[in-house]
Amino acid sequence: MTDRTLRLGVNIDHVATVRNARGSTYPDPLRAAKLAEEAGADGITAHLREDRRHISDADIDGLMEVLTVPLNLEMAATAEMQAIALRHRPHAVCIVPEKREERTTEGGLEVAGDESRLADFIAPLREAGCRVSMFVAAERAQIEASARIGAAVVELHTGAYCDFHAEGRVAARDEELDRLREMAALAADLGLEVHAGHGLTYDTVQPVAAIPQIRELNIGHFLIGEAIFRGLKDAIAEMRRLMDEARG
Ligand code: PXP
């Protein structure tokens, strides 16, 4: 592989979480998105959840208007979300599992067990020109199914790897990292573009960034938290530096 580019997609959901905590108009996720662009983000990611707990429909309207970098719209595979995506036609759509009661996207999407429904679901999005991604655990069955249904991308869920790291379970973390490496290679062999994300921090990003098949990382919660201490631009610039160092 000669192209070693690794893009950074900055997820701005939790700017909206803070805004919504007080039902105010600030902090403004659009302002955060523009700052992220200035700091070197290659794309902006936003998850329009069914319960609208953070990003709102108006935020998506605004992002489509103001962004100069691509928008990656994360969404569940529902008719409502499909209609919204088809109305906006963002650069990318990432299909994620969604449960109302979860605090965050807890596991990967079950593609293998829901292949024909998901194939039908993504077909109009592909026809509309959206780059469709499936957010999956590092599991062979999910990756092979994603390739069969015509997804362009798989985003590998790094949550388990990050949780093991945080819990000090080094052997489990390293096993999960091996799985991520193996599954990134498999996905690339199947012709899928490979992304990764969820739970990544300054401490965990480099081994993932070093996986050569991975072209994009999507990172949000840690960066928005770190922005409290060092400012958003600086928080993003440091993540970018660590990614480049790992890639170098
Ligand atoms: N990728 C996907 C598909 C996600 O659902 C999320 C969380 O919304 C992320 C990446 C970013 O995760 P985090 O906010 O933990 O960095």
Side-chain angles (χ1 to χ4, degrees), residues 58-158:
D59 292 331
I60 300 296
D61 295 345
L63 288 167
M64 285 302 297
E65 243 174 65
V66 305
L67 287 184
T68 55
V69 296
L71 175 67
N72 174 32
L73 174 64
E74 287 179 6
M75 59 182 223
T78 65
E80 183 201 13
M81 289 300 152
Q82 189 191 51
I84 291 169
L86 289 173
R87 195 162 71 244
H88 286 297
R89 297 176 180 230
H91 168 81
V93 172
C94 181
I95 312 297
V96 302
E98 208 175 287
K99 295 191 212 91
R100 260 178 199 275
E101 63 278 15
E102 71 190 355
R103 262 189 300 180
T104 181
T105 313
E106 277 165 5
L109 192 66
E110 179 54 49
V111 186
D114 203 9
E115 229 176 289
S116 66
R117 185 182 79 89
L118 287 171
D120 290 347
F121 182 82
I122 69 171
L125 298 168
R126 295 169 57 201
E127 280 157 26
C130 301
R131 186 196 69 187
V132 177
S133 169
M134 312 307 277
F135 185 48
V136 295
E139 290 169 12
R140 174 178 290 273
Q142 307 303 340
I143 291 163
E144 289 177 345
S146 299
R148 279 195 299 271
I149 67 169
V153 178
V154 280
E155 180 160 332
L156 300 178
H157 199 312
T158 50

Side-chain angles (χ1 to χ4, degrees), residues 5 7 10 37 55 58 60 84-85 94 120 129 147 165 167 170 175 193 197 215 224 227 232 245:
T5 315
R7 297 187 299 270
V10 173
E37 278 186 352
I55 293 295
I60 300 296
I84 291 169
C94 181
D120 290 347
H165 178 84
E167 292 158 12
V170 175
E175 257 177 49
E193 184 170 306
R215 328 290 338 197
I224 303 307
L232 185 58
E245 187 179 85

